[in-house]
Amino acid sequence: MRISTAQMYNQNISSLNKNQTQTSKLMDQIASGQRVNTAGDDPVAAIGIDNLTQQNSLIQQFQKNINYANQHLSLTESQLSDAETLSMSIRDRMLAAVNGTYTDDERQSIADELRQSLDQLQTIANSQDEAGNYLFAGTKSDTQPFAFDNNGNMVYSGNSDVRTALVAAGVAMPTNVAGDAAFMNAPNAMGDFSVNYSAAQSGDFSVTSAKITDPTSYIPDDYSFNFLDNGSGGIDVQILDGASNLVKTINNYDPTTPISVNGVDLTLNGTPSAGDSFSIQPQSTTSIFDTVQQAITLFEDGDTINTAAGQSQLAQLLNNFDSGVDQIRIGRSQAGTSLSALDNYASNHSDTELVNNSALSVLQDLDYASAVSEYQKQQLAMNAVSTLFSQVGTVSLFDYLS
């Protein structure tokens, strides 16, 4: 078989190019430390590497979201802890004001302390994060959530929505606690109504429960309860609606039996006297701010705190205050529970990333010893081909003619 000069040149050049390509590939692998730099290096491994890399990228985004949620929930939990501690101090001052030996000035001093504490509680509820966002405004983080109106009642300008962060596939965790849930919507300790006592009250009693027990027969309204001497040594109860119309009369009232009217049951502690009265208004939730404000008003109202009506009102306020503190604790507990869950997700992500990195190492990490050995072999082969080609390429027929 004849081998032309052109064919010989092409074969040698092809061999040199092939060796050069192999050598270049080995140099890239040694430089990067990776066995697979392109899909052509190992198509099957390249698919696995791409999938694992995408999973790690998603995990890293989850970890960033978890860090963000951790920062905000930690700050939220800390502020609610401060609010709880401050609330306990407020309760101690409320109880101290019950001292019957206190003068009006001394009770006014306690009221002033309570007002300062109330301002501190409002400051906590209006806390902001490092970016100036309000922690307890729901999703209206650019709006100050809490402010007193002209009547001294707390107004909440945030919303009930909760910001969330995606911390795992299909898992969104809350990153805040809405302010109305933490500070405003505490269940009324009385039940479904608030009670106003008559300043002329002489009997030692208070309403401990006022609840709607039969919604089908309940007629929404304000109700008044008047205790009257029935002339037979007993007491009758006249129940009036908001328009002062007589709704019901209970003859020979038994203090151990609840008062029932239009689907509402009331339980009293103690015994009313003839001439006593009180009224109820629908109210299912209460605000710890309004409770403290009402306590301040009571303590500033001369000697009212030492009257039977004042004592009954204070009992109601203390119960509502405790309900408000419980609401703060619930918010703090929710933040703590979320923080614990975030720690678990972060740990799971770290474990998954570690497994993925181990798999990536198997698929793409280079065996340097083998690669360097192969590189040296390729260099020797390329040098040999190059030398042979150089020698053959210079051979001429004239070298054999003399």
Side-chain angles (χ1 to χ4, degrees), residues 61-74:
Q61 184 59 57
F62 287 150
Q63 293 283 33
K64 290 180 181 178
N65 294 346
I66 288 173
N67 290 337
Y68 170 85
N70 251 316
Q71 292 174 0
H72 285 75
L73 284 172
S74 294

Side-chain angles (χ1 to χ4, degrees), residues 7 37 39 50 86 119 122 164 192 204 254 257 272 296 341 361 383:
Q7 185 179 0
N37 289 306
D50 185 56
L86 179 61
D119 290 340
Q122 181 186 4
T164 60
D192 300 306
D204 183 12
D254 180 1
T257 302
I296 292 172
S361 178
N383 289 337

Side-chain angles (χ1 to χ4, degrees), residues 298-317:
L298 176 62
F299 298 150
E300 289 180 333
D301 189 15
D303 198 42
T304 300
I305 186 62
N306 291 322
T307 65
Q311 291 292 306
S312 297
Q313 183 180 352
L314 180 61
Q316 177 178 247
L317 291 175

Side-chain angles (χ1 to χ4, degrees), residues 165-184:
L166 195 64
V167 299
V171 180
M173 291 289 295
T175 62
N176 70 311
V177 175
D180 57 346
F183 297 101
M184 298 293 291

Side-chain angles (χ1 to χ4, degrees), residues 10 39 73 185 232 267 285 343 401:
N10 288 337
L73 284 172
N185 295 335
S232 301
T267 302
T285 62
D343 288 341
L401 296 177

